[in-house]
Amino acid sequence: MHVRSGELRKQGMRIKLQEQPFHVLIVLLQRPGEVITREELRSQNWPADTFVDFDNSLNTAINKLREALGDSADNPRFIETLPRRGYRFIAPVTGVDGTTRETTMGVSAAAPTSSRKILVTVAVVVLAVGIAGAVLWRARHLTERDTIVLGDFANSTGDAVFDGTLREGLSVELEQSPFLSLVSEEGIRQTLQMMERPANTRLTPQITREVCQRTSSAAALDGSIALIGTRYTLILKAVNCADGGLLASTEAQASDKSHVLDALGKVASEMRRRLGDSLSTVQKYNTPLEQATTPSLEALQAYSFGWSTDDDAAQLAFFRRAIQLDPQFAMAHWALANNTPDTALSAESARKAFELRAGLSEREKLHIEADYYNIVTGDLINAQRSAEVGAQTYPRDPKFPVSLILYSRALGQYEAGLKESRERLRLSPLRSLPYRAVASTYLCLNQVEEAEATAKEAHARGLDSRLAPVLYEIAFYRNDAPEMARQAASAVGKVGDEEWLLALEADTVAYFGYLGKAREFVRQAADSAGRGGKQERAATYYAVSALREALFGNADRARQQATLAKRRASGRDMDYGLALTLAYAGDAGRAQTLADDLGKGFPDDTIVQFNYLPTVRAKLAVLHSNPQEALVILGAASPYELGLAAFDYYNWPSLYPVYVRGEAYLAAHRGSEAAAEFQKILDHRGIVLNEPIGALAHLQLARAYSLQGDTAKSRAAYQDFLTLWKDADPDIPVLKQAKSEFAKLQ
């Protein structure tokens, strides 16, 4: 301890300690083993003319000091509290001369005055009995940006139920900490791939340390469990990734198998303290493991296996098995909700997790609440609020930024979405999906150069395997047909990406008026989705096709496609697409019925109530020759009209409130306002991309200018549309109409 510089150090590395607690420590070390009264501490640290709440100030200083030392008032190793008397430093102290001064009861702590002077004014005091192992290591090694790699437990008990189970339980325990950050499972798998090892490689101490080094992490954790007689012994070690040195070690015993999870909780809590988590945080965020997960080792093992596999079907089977073994396992319900393609099952599981959340850790509660509001009720405002609290409380958890990205984009808050996307990328630099989120959000902001730079960065890191769809969209923005073709080809055979790229191809060829080709791509996209068990997604592709047919004037084919889609499945987004299709096809009665059912089925859904329903009802009002009513109805959509409403990376219904508002202004003969709405679509090209209204906005803008009497601008806009559709299928009704209107301007 350097008194003159006001620093507490270990091997040259500084431990953060505020000035007042530091001065209190000096006084305690001047008389180790002796009781220092509160009044003495006041006289030496708070002058008589200082006006402060002394009692609270001293209590705060002692608490800060204990927090820095990793000490506990209930079980002190350094500072003992004597009620109504004062405090005593009880650990042995070694002076610069190497003399150890015992401070325990019954041993004299007296020392010559000269020795005390040396102690507090000249040299370094080494606080023994565990400061080096428990406290000083934090300042040397862990910061708020450090990460930890969690290895597998060595299981010598002969009982396979502990395989994977203890590692999963330890992960849950450590992730309760707002301070600690574990390298994600995907990050570990990708690192193993770079090491040319299988994704399911057992994380032995040697492998774990290499992963730790490659991920630039600070520490690797290795655990073991052994059965000695009838008792189980658990040992957990933290190893320095750089040199392999032991940083900290904890252990606990369980009297029998049923108490192993309790013992795991104990070693996890102690390791949190030794890794630098403050005592107050450990106490506040320390839900017992059985309460945070399940008392069933078998259920916890199935849950662990679910997260460790890349096979979607196997993953769902493991989560279902965990629920079967323990129907009250809230996090297994949550995991099922987030990984099943069945929207009904997802909602049911999210609701069950929400009902069972009471005993969980704060982190898990916030995840479950955000997903409940999103998946079950669709209330994005409350979902966003829960995720924001989670991000503030657990700033190192990448899952909260993931949620906030989706909510922000769905609500049209792209600047906030970009911030969250970049934060997620910072927290998960070894994953490809964060790069996709950042690039896609840049594109929504029309910042295509930044989107391209992000994609190039991912490619340089070998993390561009999931970027084909957004690279395709960037290429579309750039009018780069060869690159679009290359990205479409690269997705063939890739689960998820293939159907998405086929759907994008359908949108693109339709954008240029090749409606026949679009129908074939839709069929292929639906077949691809069907092979993956995504029946609702397959039906959605047909619903999008039906809407496109209606927009282009093929009312009969639109109704046929709508019927085909409805037979396959139902769902929020698909039903909206069908309602809007029927409205454009002139079938007002069926459109109204679908809209009413949608409103009743999703009364709290932000997108339904403030985007989908206003759009359909406004279109129906236009059909009924009441454009003014349509404009009033669309007022509710204004705050969210630029959002990616489908809440998915394939966002086909974007900006429809804007498009219908433009049509309402046209019907009301308000050309200037109509032009502004259609121009808004063209100005947000990064959002609308290859949607049909992106092309039709040129035609509608031409009509708006014509309504204003601006023939020159109208002619130019018609030419823009007809140039886009110069090789389009000639029998499309809207194309015939556009050519007729343009001819009348000549």
Side-chain angles (χ1 to χ4, degrees), residues 599-612:
K600 292 174 184 176
F602 300 90
D604 300 314
D605 190 296
T606 305
I607 297 301
V608 169
Q609 298 298 327
F610 296 98
N611 186 308
Y612 289 174

Side-chain angles (χ1 to χ4, degrees), residues 408-424:
S408 298
R409 286 159 57 98
L411 297 173
Q413 301 164 355
Y414 295 109
E415 292 290 352
L418 180 61
K419 178 183 177 183
E420 297 300 338
S421 298
R422 295 183 64 82
E423 177 63 11
R424 183 195 179 196

Side-chain angles (χ1 to χ4, degrees), residues 526-596:
D527 288 348
S528 178
R531 288 193 296 271
K534 301 174 182 177
Q535 294 304 322
E536 184 180 332
R537 183 66 68 86
T540 296
Y541 294 139
Y542 281 114
V544 173
S545 177
L547 178 57
R548 185 162 50 228
E549 298 281 359
L551 286 165
F552 290 174
N554 291 323
D556 290 340
R557 186 180 286 272
R559 295 189 192 97
Q560 293 171 3
Q561 291 279 68
T563 300
L564 179 62
K566 193 63 175 174
R567 286 175 183 169
R568 286 176 168 256
S570 63
R572 185 196 73 166
D573 298 336
M574 195 198 76
D575 287 348
Y576 162 65
L578 296 182
L580 195 56
T581 295
L582 293 171
Y584 271 100
D587 195 338
R590 290 175 63 195
Q592 185 67 60
T593 299
L594 271 177
D596 291 343

Side-chain angles (χ1 to χ4, degrees), residues 364-443:
E364 292 169 332
K365 283 181 187 176
L366 289 166
H367 279 307
I368 285 176
E369 288 171 2
D371 287 337
Y372 169 79
Y373 290 124
N374 168 31
I375 297 172
V376 179
T377 70
D379 183 350
L380 297 188
I381 306 305
N382 273 323
Q384 189 177 52
R385 187 176 296 118
S386 294
E388 285 173 345
V389 172
Q392 292 167 3
T393 308
Y394 298 96
R396 309 189 70 185
D397 184 339
K399 297 186 186 72
F400 289 115
V402 170
S403 297
L404 288 172
I405 291 166
L406 295 175
Y407 306 148
S408 298
R409 286 159 57 98
L411 297 173
Q413 301 164 355
Y414 295 109
E415 292 290 352
L418 180 61
K419 178 183 177 183
E420 297 300 338
S421 298
R422 295 183 64 82
E423 177 63 11
R424 183 195 179 196
L425 182 57
R426 185 186 70 79
L427 293 171
S428 305
L430 298 177
R431 302 183 65 187
S432 59
L433 290 179
Y435 283 96
R436 188 166 79 182
V438 172
S440 178
T441 308
Y442 271 130
L443 193 58

Side-chain angles (χ1 to χ4, degrees), residues 2-52:
H2 295 276
V3 177
R4 287 181 178 174
S5 64
E7 294 178 348
L8 184 64
R9 291 178 175 267
K10 168 62 179 175
Q11 296 183 355
M13 302 300 294
R14 181 182 177 185
I15 300 175
K16 186 177 181 180
L17 191 61
Q18 295 175 343
E19 181 179 0
Q20 204 67 59
F22 184 86
H23 290 161
V24 170
L25 179 60
I26 291 175
V27 176
L28 293 173
L29 289 176
Q30 285 176 325
R31 293 158 57 188
E34 297 183 27
V35 177
I36 310 297
T37 67
R38 291 175 66 87
E39 191 58 38
E40 287 179 278
L41 289 169
R42 174 174 185 164
S43 65
Q44 296 194 47
N45 291 282
W46 285 270
D49 59 352
T50 301
F51 297 96
V52 297

